[in-house]
Amino acid sequence: MNLAFSLAQNGMGQTWTNPLVGAVIVKDDQVLATGYHQHYGQSHAEVNAIKNLPSIKIAQGATIYVTLEPCNHFGKTPPCTQQLIDIGIKKVVIGQLDPNPLVAGKGVKHLREAGIEVTILNQTGNINQFYNFFYHQQRPFVTLKYAVSLDGKINGPEPKRTLLTGKESKVDSQKLRLQYQAILIGENTLTIDNPLLIVPNQQTDFPAIRIIVVDDANQVNPNLRLFTNSAPIWLLSRQPNYRHWPDFVTVFDQKSWTPTEITRLLTEQGIQSLLIEGGSRTHSRFISSEIVDQITIYLAPLVLGGTALPAVYGTASSQLNFEIKAIKQVGKDLRIDARRES
Protein backbone atom coordinates (compact mmCIF):
# COMPACT_ATOMS: atom_id res chain seq x y z
CA MET A 1 0.00 0.00 0.00
CA ASN A 2 2.89 2.37 0.66
CA LEU A 3 4.01 1.81 -2.93
CA ALA A 4 0.49 2.54 -4.13
CA PHE A 5 0.40 5.79 -2.13
CA SER A 6 3.77 6.77 -3.60
CA LEU A 7 2.55 6.06 -7.14
CA ALA A 8 -0.59 8.14 -6.58
CA GLN A 9 1.54 11.24 -5.98
CA ASN A 10 2.71 11.09 -9.59
CA GLY A 11 -0.67 12.41 -10.68
CA MET A 12 -0.31 15.63 -8.68
CA GLY A 13 -1.58 18.63 -10.64
CA GLN A 14 -3.16 16.58 -13.44
CA THR A 15 -6.25 14.93 -11.94
CA TRP A 16 -8.14 18.22 -11.31
CA THR A 17 -11.24 17.35 -9.20
CA ASN A 18 -10.52 13.63 -9.37
CA PRO A 19 -8.55 12.10 -6.47
CA LEU A 20 -4.96 10.90 -6.57
CA VAL A 21 -5.01 7.09 -6.78
CA GLY A 22 -2.32 4.42 -7.05
CA ALA A 23 -2.63 0.68 -7.62
CA VAL A 24 -0.32 -2.34 -7.31
CA ILE A 25 -1.14 -5.87 -8.52
CA VAL A 26 0.62 -8.62 -6.54
CA LYS A 27 0.76 -12.42 -6.79
CA ASP A 28 2.93 -14.89 -4.86
CA ASP A 29 4.68 -11.94 -3.15
CA GLN A 30 5.73 -10.54 -6.51
CA VAL A 31 4.64 -7.20 -7.96
CA LEU A 32 3.09 -7.93 -11.35
CA ALA A 33 2.18 -4.39 -12.38
CA THR A 34 1.57 -0.88 -11.06
CA GLY A 35 -0.45 2.11 -12.18
CA TYR A 36 -1.80 5.46 -11.09
CA HIS A 37 -4.46 7.93 -12.20
CA GLN A 38 -2.48 10.09 -14.58
CA HIS A 39 -4.93 12.64 -15.94
CA TYR A 40 -8.47 13.88 -15.40
CA GLY A 41 -10.92 12.09 -17.67
CA GLN A 42 -8.51 9.28 -18.51
CA SER A 43 -8.06 5.73 -17.20
CA HIS A 44 -8.11 5.17 -13.45
CA ALA A 45 -5.22 3.66 -11.50
CA GLU A 46 -6.60 0.10 -11.52
CA VAL A 47 -7.05 0.14 -15.29
CA ASN A 48 -3.56 1.51 -15.86
CA ALA A 49 -2.15 -1.26 -13.66
CA ILE A 50 -4.08 -3.83 -15.70
CA LYS A 51 -2.70 -2.30 -18.92
CA ASN A 52 0.82 -2.70 -17.53
CA LEU A 53 0.45 -6.43 -16.93
CA PRO A 54 2.71 -8.49 -19.21
CA SER A 55 -0.30 -10.78 -19.69
CA ILE A 56 -3.90 -10.48 -18.50
CA LYS A 57 -3.92 -14.20 -17.68
CA ILE A 58 -1.41 -13.86 -14.84
CA ALA A 59 -3.83 -11.62 -12.92
CA GLN A 60 -6.03 -14.65 -12.21
CA GLY A 61 -5.99 -15.15 -8.43
CA ALA A 62 -3.90 -12.01 -7.79
CA THR A 63 -4.35 -9.28 -5.17
CA ILE A 64 -4.63 -5.60 -6.03
CA TYR A 65 -3.70 -2.87 -3.57
CA VAL A 66 -5.49 0.40 -4.41
CA THR A 67 -5.40 3.59 -2.37
CA LEU A 68 -9.08 4.44 -2.92
CA GLU A 69 -12.22 2.34 -3.32
CA PRO A 70 -12.65 1.29 -6.98
CA CYS A 71 -15.55 3.00 -8.75
CA ASN A 72 -18.71 1.14 -9.74
CA HIS A 73 -20.33 3.71 -12.05
CA PHE A 74 -20.00 4.95 -15.60
CA GLY A 75 -18.49 8.44 -15.67
CA LYS A 76 -15.78 9.63 -18.02
CA THR A 77 -14.48 6.05 -17.84
CA PRO A 78 -16.14 2.63 -17.31
CA PRO A 79 -16.41 1.16 -13.78
CA CYS A 80 -13.15 -0.28 -12.44
CA THR A 81 -14.85 -2.94 -10.28
CA GLN A 82 -16.12 -4.88 -13.27
CA GLN A 83 -12.71 -4.90 -14.90
CA LEU A 84 -11.17 -6.32 -11.72
CA ILE A 85 -13.85 -9.00 -11.67
CA ASP A 86 -13.35 -9.81 -15.35
CA ILE A 87 -9.59 -10.44 -15.07
CA GLY A 88 -10.02 -12.76 -12.07
CA ILE A 89 -8.66 -10.68 -9.20
CA LYS A 90 -9.05 -12.69 -5.98
CA LYS A 91 -8.55 -9.99 -3.34
CA VAL A 92 -8.75 -6.18 -3.21
CA VAL A 93 -7.00 -4.25 -0.44
CA ILE A 94 -8.29 -0.66 -0.23
CA GLY A 95 -6.66 2.26 1.54
CA GLN A 96 -9.89 4.17 2.15
CA LEU A 97 -13.53 4.18 1.09
CA ASP A 98 -14.43 6.85 -1.46
CA PRO A 99 -16.49 9.66 0.15
CA ASN A 100 -17.95 10.63 -3.23
CA PRO A 101 -21.63 9.53 -3.07
CA LEU A 102 -21.32 8.17 -6.61
CA VAL A 103 -19.04 5.49 -5.14
CA ALA A 104 -19.32 5.49 -1.31
CA GLY A 105 -19.36 1.75 -0.61
CA LYS A 106 -20.96 0.71 -3.89
CA GLY A 107 -17.63 -0.44 -5.29
CA VAL A 108 -16.94 -2.64 -2.27
CA LYS A 109 -20.48 -4.07 -2.41
CA HIS A 110 -20.12 -5.04 -6.08
CA LEU A 111 -16.75 -6.70 -5.51
CA ARG A 112 -17.98 -8.72 -2.53
CA GLU A 113 -21.12 -9.80 -4.39
CA ALA A 114 -18.81 -11.15 -7.08
CA GLY A 115 -17.00 -13.28 -4.48
CA ILE A 116 -13.89 -11.11 -4.21
CA GLU A 117 -12.33 -10.69 -0.77
CA VAL A 118 -12.12 -7.01 0.21
CA THR A 119 -10.01 -5.51 3.00
CA ILE A 120 -10.31 -1.84 3.96
CA LEU A 121 -7.33 -0.37 5.83
CA ASN A 122 -8.80 3.08 6.59
CA GLN A 123 -5.55 4.74 5.58
CA THR A 124 -5.28 7.89 3.45
CA GLY A 125 -1.53 8.04 2.97
CA ASN A 126 -1.78 11.82 3.58
CA ILE A 127 -3.18 12.39 0.10
CA ASN A 128 -6.54 13.69 -1.09
CA GLN A 129 -7.17 15.76 2.05
CA PHE A 130 -9.10 18.38 0.06
CA TYR A 131 -11.07 15.73 -1.84
CA ASN A 132 -12.08 14.03 1.42
CA PHE A 133 -12.91 17.34 3.11
CA PHE A 134 -15.08 18.45 0.20
CA TYR A 135 -17.33 15.39 0.31
CA HIS A 136 -17.46 15.21 4.10
CA GLN A 137 -18.11 18.93 4.69
CA GLN A 138 -19.92 19.77 1.44
CA ARG A 139 -17.69 22.79 0.73
CA PRO A 140 -14.10 23.50 -0.31
CA PHE A 141 -11.19 23.53 2.13
CA VAL A 142 -10.24 27.19 2.71
CA THR A 143 -6.75 28.46 3.54
CA LEU A 144 -5.72 32.04 4.28
CA LYS A 145 -2.16 32.77 3.18
CA TYR A 146 -0.30 35.98 3.84
CA ALA A 147 3.11 37.48 4.59
CA VAL A 148 3.27 39.41 7.87
CA SER A 149 5.75 41.48 9.86
CA LEU A 150 6.73 40.78 13.46
CA ASP A 151 4.14 43.33 14.59
CA GLY A 152 1.34 41.65 12.63
CA LYS A 153 1.23 43.99 9.61
CA ILE A 154 0.85 42.93 5.97
CA ASN A 155 1.28 46.28 4.24
CA GLY A 156 2.51 49.80 4.86
CA PRO A 157 0.06 52.69 5.28
CA GLU A 158 0.39 53.84 1.64
CA PRO A 159 -1.83 52.27 -1.06
CA LYS A 160 1.05 50.41 -2.69
CA ARG A 161 2.50 46.95 -2.27
CA THR A 162 4.95 46.39 0.58
CA LEU A 163 7.48 43.59 0.05
CA LEU A 164 8.06 41.79 3.34
CA THR A 165 9.55 38.36 2.70
CA GLY A 166 12.55 37.06 0.80
CA LYS A 167 12.81 35.17 -2.47
CA GLU A 168 12.84 31.81 -0.70
CA SER A 169 9.38 32.48 0.71
CA LYS A 170 8.15 33.50 -2.72
CA VAL A 171 9.31 30.18 -4.17
CA ASP A 172 7.75 28.28 -1.27
CA SER A 173 4.42 30.10 -1.65
CA GLN A 174 4.37 29.22 -5.35
CA LYS A 175 4.62 25.56 -4.37
CA LEU A 176 1.72 26.11 -1.98
CA ARG A 177 -0.39 27.47 -4.84
CA LEU A 178 0.11 24.25 -6.78
CA GLN A 179 -1.96 22.39 -4.18
CA TYR A 180 -5.11 24.47 -4.64
CA GLN A 181 -7.79 24.52 -7.33
CA ALA A 182 -8.70 28.19 -6.87
CA ILE A 183 -7.01 31.39 -5.63
CA LEU A 184 -9.06 34.36 -4.41
CA ILE A 185 -8.24 38.04 -3.93
CA GLY A 186 -10.29 41.20 -3.49
CA GLU A 187 -10.48 44.26 -5.73
CA ASN A 188 -7.98 46.31 -3.68
CA THR A 189 -5.35 43.60 -3.96
CA LEU A 190 -6.01 43.41 -7.70
CA THR A 191 -5.51 47.11 -8.32
CA ILE A 192 -2.71 47.77 -5.81
CA ASP A 193 -0.60 44.63 -6.25
CA ASN A 194 -1.52 43.99 -9.90
CA PRO A 195 -0.75 40.25 -9.47
CA LEU A 196 -0.59 37.56 -12.14
CA LEU A 197 -1.68 34.77 -9.73
CA ILE A 198 -0.08 31.94 -11.66
CA VAL A 199 2.83 29.61 -10.93
CA PRO A 200 5.66 30.22 -13.44
CA ASN A 201 6.53 27.20 -15.61
CA GLN A 202 3.69 25.19 -14.07
CA GLN A 203 3.38 21.84 -15.84
CA THR A 204 -0.34 21.17 -15.57
CA ASP A 205 -3.43 21.29 -17.77
CA PHE A 206 -5.42 22.56 -14.78
CA PRO A 207 -4.00 25.83 -13.40
CA ALA A 208 -5.84 27.27 -10.42
CA ILE A 209 -8.90 29.38 -11.17
CA ARG A 210 -8.11 33.00 -10.33
CA ILE A 211 -11.12 34.45 -8.49
CA ILE A 212 -11.52 38.19 -8.01
CA VAL A 213 -14.33 39.73 -5.95
CA VAL A 214 -15.17 43.11 -7.53
CA ASP A 215 -17.87 45.73 -7.17
CA ASP A 216 -18.42 46.09 -10.92
CA ALA A 217 -16.79 43.86 -13.53
CA ASN A 218 -17.41 46.52 -16.18
CA GLN A 219 -14.99 48.84 -14.35
CA VAL A 220 -12.13 46.34 -14.06
CA ASN A 221 -9.08 47.41 -16.05
CA PRO A 222 -8.54 44.77 -18.78
CA ASN A 223 -4.89 45.85 -19.12
CA LEU A 224 -3.92 44.48 -15.71
CA ARG A 225 -1.33 41.69 -15.62
CA LEU A 226 -4.04 39.22 -14.59
CA PHE A 227 -5.46 39.25 -18.12
CA THR A 228 -2.16 38.64 -19.91
CA ASN A 229 -2.34 34.93 -19.11
CA SER A 230 -5.15 32.64 -20.30
CA ALA A 231 -5.45 30.61 -17.09
CA PRO A 232 -9.13 30.73 -16.04
CA ILE A 233 -10.47 33.82 -14.27
CA TRP A 234 -13.74 34.23 -12.38
CA LEU A 235 -14.94 37.76 -11.72
CA LEU A 236 -17.49 37.82 -8.92
CA SER A 237 -19.27 41.08 -9.65
CA ARG A 238 -21.87 42.87 -7.52
CA GLN A 239 -23.21 44.56 -10.66
CA PRO A 240 -24.55 43.03 -13.90
CA ASN A 241 -21.85 42.57 -16.51
CA TYR A 242 -22.17 44.13 -19.97
CA ARG A 243 -18.58 43.85 -21.16
CA HIS A 244 -17.36 41.20 -23.60
CA TRP A 245 -14.47 39.32 -21.99
CA PRO A 246 -12.02 36.76 -23.41
CA ASP A 247 -13.09 33.11 -23.29
CA PHE A 248 -10.94 32.42 -20.22
CA VAL A 249 -12.87 34.99 -18.16
CA THR A 250 -16.23 34.07 -16.57
CA VAL A 251 -18.35 36.68 -14.81
CA PHE A 252 -20.76 35.69 -12.05
CA ASP A 253 -22.94 38.61 -11.02
CA GLN A 254 -25.23 39.05 -8.04
CA LYS A 255 -25.85 41.80 -5.49
CA SER A 256 -23.74 40.29 -2.72
CA TRP A 257 -20.69 38.04 -2.52
CA THR A 258 -20.27 36.98 1.10
CA PRO A 259 -17.85 34.18 2.02
CA THR A 260 -20.85 31.87 2.38
CA GLU A 261 -22.06 32.77 -1.11
CA ILE A 262 -18.58 32.38 -2.56
CA THR A 263 -18.06 28.93 -1.06
CA ARG A 264 -21.55 27.92 -2.18
CA LEU A 265 -20.63 28.83 -5.77
CA LEU A 266 -17.37 26.87 -5.54
CA THR A 267 -19.21 23.87 -4.13
CA GLU A 268 -21.73 23.97 -6.97
CA GLN A 269 -18.84 24.10 -9.45
CA GLY A 270 -17.08 21.16 -7.76
CA ILE A 271 -14.05 23.18 -6.59
CA GLN A 272 -12.54 21.41 -3.58
CA SER A 273 -9.90 23.84 -2.33
CA LEU A 274 -9.50 27.61 -2.09
CA LEU A 275 -6.38 29.63 -1.28
CA ILE A 276 -7.14 33.20 -0.20
CA GLU A 277 -4.40 35.74 -0.93
CA GLY A 278 -6.55 38.82 -0.41
CA GLY A 279 -6.05 41.83 1.84
CA SER A 280 -6.93 42.29 5.49
CA ARG A 281 -10.64 42.99 4.86
CA THR A 282 -11.01 39.85 2.77
CA HIS A 283 -9.31 37.90 5.56
CA SER A 284 -11.63 39.48 8.10
CA ARG A 285 -14.78 38.61 6.16
CA PHE A 286 -13.85 34.93 5.91
CA ILE A 287 -12.78 34.72 9.55
CA SER A 288 -15.95 36.43 10.76
CA SER A 289 -17.94 33.92 8.67
CA GLU A 290 -15.89 31.14 10.31
CA ILE A 291 -15.04 29.74 6.88
CA VAL A 292 -11.31 29.27 7.40
CA ASP A 293 -9.74 25.84 7.86
CA GLN A 294 -6.05 26.72 7.75
CA ILE A 295 -3.84 29.78 7.99
CA THR A 296 -0.39 29.80 6.42
CA ILE A 297 1.80 32.72 7.45
CA TYR A 298 5.20 33.79 6.17
CA LEU A 299 6.63 35.74 9.11
CA ALA A 300 9.23 38.34 8.11
CA PRO A 301 11.86 39.55 10.63
CA LEU A 302 10.95 43.23 10.42
CA VAL A 303 8.59 45.76 12.03
CA LEU A 304 6.40 48.20 10.08
CA GLY A 305 4.83 50.00 13.05
CA GLY A 306 2.71 53.13 12.88
CA THR A 307 -0.50 52.93 10.88
CA ALA A 308 0.59 49.98 8.73
CA LEU A 309 -2.23 47.61 7.76
CA PRO A 310 -2.85 44.66 10.11
CA ALA A 311 -3.28 41.14 8.76
CA VAL A 312 -6.96 40.95 9.69
CA TYR A 313 -8.95 44.17 9.83
CA GLY A 314 -12.61 45.03 9.47
CA THR A 315 -15.62 42.95 10.40
CA ALA A 316 -15.65 41.87 14.05
CA SER A 317 -15.64 38.13 14.66
CA SER A 318 -15.76 35.65 17.47
CA GLN A 319 -12.55 33.97 18.56
CA LEU A 320 -11.39 31.13 16.34
CA ASN A 321 -8.95 28.60 17.76
CA PHE A 322 -6.18 27.08 15.66
CA GLU A 323 -3.52 24.48 16.31
CA ILE A 324 0.02 25.08 15.11
CA LYS A 325 0.87 22.18 12.82
CA ALA A 326 4.24 23.18 11.43
CA ILE A 327 6.94 25.85 11.74
CA LYS A 328 9.89 25.91 9.35
CA GLN A 329 12.65 28.29 8.36
CA VAL A 330 12.31 29.60 4.80
CA GLY A 331 15.33 31.74 4.04
CA LYS A 332 15.27 34.59 6.58
CA ASP A 333 11.55 34.07 7.21
CA LEU A 334 9.44 31.58 9.12
CA ARG A 335 6.52 29.67 7.62
CA ILE A 336 3.79 28.84 10.14
CA ASP A 337 0.89 26.48 9.32
CA ALA A 338 -2.06 26.46 11.70
CA ARG A 339 -5.14 24.24 11.36
CA ARG A 340 -8.58 25.14 12.70
CA GLU A 341 -9.52 23.15 15.75
CA SER A 342 -12.67 21.08 15.28
Side-chain angles (χ1 to χ4, degrees), residues 239-256:
Q239 303 294 329
N241 174 66
Y242 303 106
R243 178 184 285 176
H244 177 73
W245 292 95
D247 291 342
F248 59 87
V249 178
T250 302
V251 179
F252 297 89
D253 58 78
Q254 61 184 43
K255 291 183 178 180
S256 173

Side-chain angles (χ1 to χ4, degrees), residues 26-55:
V26 177
K27 188 176 182 180
D28 299 328
D29 293 326
Q30 298 294 318
V31 173
L32 303 181
T34 64
Y36 67 94
H37 183 36
Q38 299 176 8
H39 198 278
Y40 178 77
Q42 296 181 5
S43 298
H44 290 183
E46 304 93 318
V47 175
N48 283 328
I50 292 171
K51 290 178 180 177
N52 290 330
L53 285 166
S55 169

Side-chain angles (χ1 to χ4, degrees), residues 282-293:
T282 299
H283 299 162
S284 177
R285 291 185 184 107
F286 273 85
I287 288 175
S288 64
S289 298
E290 300 189 5
I291 306 179
V292 177
D293 306 295

Side-chain angles (χ1 to χ4, degrees), residues 187 190-191 212-224 227 234-246 249-254 257:
E187 193 164 11
L190 175 67
T191 55
I212 322 298
V213 184
V214 298
D215 184 57
D216 186 351
N218 302 288
Q219 301 302 317
V220 174
N221 182 359
N223 296 316
L224 291 169
F227 301 102
W234 289 1
L235 296 178
L236 308 188
S237 175
R238 300 183 184 93
Q239 303 294 329
N241 174 66
Y242 303 106
R243 178 184 285 176
H244 177 73
W245 292 95
V249 178
T250 302
V251 179
F252 297 89
D253 58 78
Q254 61 184 43
W257 283 110

Side-chain angles (χ1 to χ4, degrees), residues 55-229:
S55 169
I56 292 293
K57 293 180 180 180
I58 66 172
Q60 187 75 36
T63 296
I64 185 168
Y65 291 80
V66 59
T67 58
L68 190 70
E69 177 184 8
C71 66
N72 189 45
H73 66 283
F74 282 89
K76 292 185 178 298
T77 60
C80 294
T81 51
Q82 191 58 49
Q83 297 191 57
L84 297 178
I85 294 167
D86 291 343
I87 67 170
I89 289 290
K90 179 182 179 182
K91 181 178 180 180
V92 179
V93 181
I94 297 170
Q96 69 159 96
L97 293 175
D98 193 331
N100 186 335
L102 287 173
V103 186
K106 300 181 182 71
V108 169
K109 183 174 182 290
H110 189 205
L111 292 169
R112 285 174 172 164
E113 288 176 345
I116 294 177
E117 180 184 350
V118 178
T119 299
I120 304 166
L121 301 180
N122 294 316
Q123 298 176 3
T124 66
N126 294 318
I127 60 175
N128 298 320
Q129 66 160 327
F130 299 152
Y131 178 84
N132 289 326
F133 183 94
F134 181 81
Y135 285 107
H136 287 141
Q137 303 298 325
Q138 300 299 303
R139 69 166 177 82
F141 186 95
V142 176
T143 295
L144 293 187
K145 187 271 285 186
Y146 51 85
V148 64
S149 65
L150 290 173
D151 56 339
K153 307 298 177 65
I154 62 171
N155 209 78
E158 301 83 9
K160 63 179 182 180
R161 185 181 182 187
T162 302
L163 296 176
L164 300 177
T165 54
K167 60 182 180 180
E168 295 88 354
S169 289
K170 181 177 181 180
V171 171
D172 190 82
S173 66
Q174 296 284 9
K175 293 178 181 178
L176 180 68
R177 280 182 178 174
L178 289 172
Q179 302 173 29
Y180 289 81
Q181 294 172 347
I183 302 170
L184 181 142
I185 62 172
E187 193 164 11
N188 284 342
T189 300
L190 175 67
T191 55
I192 294 172
D193 290 0
N194 192 17
L196 195 54
L197 296 180
I198 63 168
V199 178
N201 304 314
Q202 182 181 9
Q203 301 299 315
T204 177
D205 294 331
F206 306 102
I209 298 168
R210 298 170 291 170
I211 302 175
I212 322 298
V213 184
V214 298
D215 184 57
D216 186 351
N218 302 288
Q219 301 302 317
V220 174
N221 182 359
N223 296 316
L224 291 169
R225 295 176 67 232
L226 188 77
F227 301 102
T228 62
N229 182 278

